[in-house]
Amino acid sequence: REFYRPLHTVIAIADEITMDTLTTRIPDNWGDRTLKRLCCVLNEMVARLQDAFETQGRFVANAAHELRSPLGAMRAQLEVHLRRKRTPDEYEEALSVTLEEAERLSLLVEHLLILARYEHGTGLAMEQDLPLTPLLRQAADEVHRTTGAEITLTTPDWLTIDGDPIALERAITNLIRNGVQAGGAPVHINAQLYGDYVEVTVTDHGKGIPSSELSHLFEPFWRGDPARSRTGGVGLGLAIVKTVVDAHRGHIEVKSESDQGTVFILQLPHRKTW
């Protein structure tokens, strides 16, 4: 019984940990190395759960704030213009402003649904041997059409990948648009095959991203430099990129230097291996 007493203590503490007590940690100052290692593993698991709940809490709070802003603006516009009779021009102006806010609200909801759809890869429609060059060119053409910015592309015509064409095009489009909105045109896209991975880089020539912001760049609604990925957006573009890359079991990296521009590096499995 004496031998099992430390284990009973660990079980009792672990059993009391709930969503409201995730700051609790199990003592790991036991003499037995196996028990000490068990406590360390349990504490690491609780820390990951704590981080996940905190991240979820921030996401929900930020989403509620972003949803409330256009709704509040729409309500204010309608209340003001209903206080007395207005001219047709005044009503038209009010409806125009309300429509803009409704469009922003619709875009935000659409992006939230995209994040939920691609999380854990459950919403992917995978295709084998998907030609990558037409996909990248279509993303570049879309941004050029809406912004007029110069976008160049370097990739072998034979390059293919196993992936979801809609999700991948959306991710690349978001990265290109992010670079253009940061004043980084011309934006250059490069794609090459390196062993089992396809590497896609999106390079802009903007003012760069402060090193203090790089670790937060893919967080939903992250409020960094307002000049980057905010204009006309809802703050979810880069979060969607990260979700798509993760869903493909890939990796994304950012390199940036002040006044030298930014490079987003996507590494995606050439073949589906899951």
Side-chain angles (χ1 to χ4, degrees):
R1 296 178 64 86
E2 187 67 25
F3 176 80
Y4 288 108
R5 181 171 298 174
L7 190 57
H8 288 312
T9 301
V10 171
I11 292 173
I13 297 174
D15 188 51
E16 293 178 357
I17 297 177
T18 66
M19 185 177 66
D20 299 320
T21 59
L22 288 173
T23 56
T24 302
R25 296 295 181 267
I26 302 170
D28 58 0
N29 55 345
W30 309 104
D32 185 83
R33 286 188 299 177
T34 302
L35 185 59
K36 184 179 180 68
R37 177 58 182 157
L38 173 63
C39 293
C40 288
V41 170
L42 289 173
N43 284 334
E44 290 171 359
M45 180 186 68
V46 174
R48 290 194 297 270
L49 288 172
Q50 181 183 4
D51 181 66
F53 273 106
E54 290 175 353
T55 300
Q56 183 185 54
R58 289 193 300 269
F59 178 85
V60 171
N62 287 330
H65 173 76
E66 296 292 337
L67 289 167
R68 185 166 57 242
S69 295
L71 285 172
M74 292 166 64
R75 179 174 180 176
Q77 277 288 330
L78 294 174
E79 287 178 344
V80 167
H81 283 79
L82 286 173
R83 288 176 183 171
R84 62 176 176 82
K85 288 187 176 181
R86 305 279 177 171
T87 66
D89 288 343
E90 288 176 324
Y91 281 126
E92 184 176 350
E93 179 184 359
L95 289 173
S96 178
V97 173
T98 303
L99 178 60
E100 289 180 5
E101 295 298 336
E103 289 174 345
R104 174 177 170 79
L105 186 62
S106 177
L107 181 63
L108 175 58
V109 172
E110 178 186 351
H111 283 193
L112 289 171
L113 290 173
I114 290 170
L115 281 175
R117 186 183 309 136
Y118 292 147
E119 190 174 11
H120 307 308
T122 55
L124 294 180
M126 297 292 289
E127 294 186 15
Q128 291 185 331
D129 296 323
L130 175 69
L132 190 58
T133 299
L135 184 151
L136 297 177
R137 185 172 291 118
Q138 188 169 343
D141 290 345
E142 168 64 20
V143 180
H144 174 73
R145 183 184 63 81
T146 56
T147 66
E150 180 184 354
I151 302 162
T152 58
L153 172 63
T154 302
T155 178
D157 290 337
W158 51 262
L159 187 56
T160 63
I161 191 173
D162 291 354
D164 182 322
I166 295 177
L168 290 175
E169 183 185 336
R170 178 177 281 122
I172 300 300
T173 300
N174 286 353
L175 288 179
I176 300 171
R177 194 181 303 280
N178 181 74
V180 171
Q181 290 175 347
V187 176
H188 182 66
I189 311 164
N190 184 9
Q192 299 292 334
L193 178 63
Y194 295 101
D196 295 331
Y197 280 82
V198 172
E199 183 174 281
V200 180
T201 61
V202 179
T203 305
D204 69 54
H205 300 83
K207 65 179 182 179
I209 304 171
S211 57
S212 60
E213 295 184 11
L214 291 178
S215 61
H216 301 285
L217 205 57
F218 298 105
E219 294 180 10
F221 307 112
W222 166 250
R223 299 286 185 187
D225 183 350
R228 256 200 119 73
S229 68
R230 289 290 164 200
T231 305
V234 293
L236 291 173
L238 293 179
I240 289 174
V241 172
K242 181 68 163 57
T243 301
V244 169
V245 172
D246 288 346
H248 282 80
R249 304 294 194 271
H251 174 73
I252 186 167
E253 181 181 358
V254 188
K255 296 181 179 179
S256 188
E257 294 184 23
S258 178
D259 298 322
Q260 297 295 318
T262 300
V263 182
F264 287 88
I265 305 169
L266 284 70
Q267 292 181 329
L268 301 164
H270 182 217
R271 299 295 183 196
K272 181 179 177 182
T273 57
W274 67 94

